[in-house]
Amino acid sequence: MTGLLIFVTVWVVCAAIVAGVLGRVAHRGDTEELGSTFDWDIDTLDHEVSNDN
């Protein structure tokens, strides 16, 4: 039982590391490849788009 708990703990830690790396890669891709250096305020954008109609 202890071995299973260790395996699950290691698996979760590895998954968290991979998720963090993939998140950073996606963020870097958004800022560098698309040329976007802005931090978007979604609430403001939604308000502006809804007023355009």
Side-chain angles (χ1 to χ4, degrees):
M1 188 67 170
T2 304
L4 180 62
L5 182 61
I6 292 171
F7 175 76
V8 169
T9 303
V10 169
W11 184 263
V12 169
V13 169
C14 288
I17 291 170
V18 169
V21 169
L22 288 177
R24 290 180 61 101
V25 167
H27 179 70
R28 184 174 179 182
D30 285 344
T31 57
E32 289 184 3
E33 295 295 326
L34 299 176
S36 174
T37 57
F38 298 112
D39 289 328
W40 298 103
D41 184 9
I42 301 301
D43 293 331
T44 303
L45 290 174
D46 285 342
H47 181 68
E48 289 177 6
V49 170
S50 64
N51 288 340
D52 285 345
N53 293 333

